[in-house]
Amino acid sequence: DRSVTEVRSSKMATTSEILQNHLKCFGERDLEGILSDYAPDAVLFTADGPLRGREAIKSLFTAMLAEFAKPGAAFSMRQQFVEGDYAYIVWTAKTADNVYELGTDTFFVRNGKIAVQSFAAKTKDNITSRAP
């Protein structure tokens, strides 16, 4: 059984392999691993506007990884689909700061890298975990 890294070195990564590596690296809080999935000129669309390039995308993941590193964080994949160069996930999560009632990401993979991603989430403050 070869690892994703070994598969990548022998051929261009598929959309499914990129998605699996992305999710694995997020779960392991591996910022460099996450960023390695993106093309240098990737665009990540968020509710606050697009992030262009790995440096801008890095700031989003730095904040997300810090939030999910706090005790009690939980993530649950609800749906996951891959069609050719496209992947779509639906998830829920809870952190010390927020309840993600619904999260969704759509990915477009070109030449073995994420070229375009959209991210949206319906969140609310996790006030139950905060002291009065």
Side-chain angles (χ1 to χ4, degrees):
D1 189 39
R2 298 186 314 165
S3 72
V4 172
T5 303
E6 290 174 298
V7 169
R8 282 186 178 177
S9 65
S10 64
K11 66 178 180 64
M12 191 179 310
T14 66
T15 302
S16 182
E17 290 167 341
I18 290 291
L19 178 61
Q20 292 312 311
N21 190 66
H22 187 73
L23 296 171
K24 176 180 155 288
C25 289
F26 186 85
E28 294 173 353
R29 294 185 207 89
D30 176 2
L31 180 61
E32 292 309 313
I34 292 168
L35 295 175
S36 74
D37 290 331
Y38 288 91
D41 60 346
V43 177
L44 196 162
F45 290 96
T46 72
D48 296 325
L51 302 174
R52 292 178 179 85
R54 286 187 187 141
E55 264 318 296
I57 292 169
K58 181 179 183 176
S59 65
L60 172 74
F61 280 104
T62 299
M64 292 288 288
L65 292 176
E67 178 180 347
F68 277 83
K70 294 177 183 176
F75 177 93
S76 178
M77 184 66 68
R78 299 294 185 199
Q79 298 279 344
Q80 185 175 321
F81 303 102
V82 176
E83 290 287 333
D85 295 337
Y86 301 92
Y88 176 72
I89 60 173
V90 178
W91 50 273
T92 58
K94 184 177 179 181
T95 69
D97 301 325
N98 293 296
V99 175
Y100 291 82
E101 296 176 338
L102 176 69
T104 179
D105 292 86
T106 302
F107 304 87
F108 169 60
V109 175
R110 180 178 52 220
N111 299 324
K113 297 288 184 184
I114 299 168
V116 180
Q117 178 182 352
S118 67
F119 160 71
K122 181 178 186 318
T123 63
K124 65 180 180 180
D125 287 344
N126 189 2
I127 56 174
T128 58
S129 69
R130 297 194 179 130

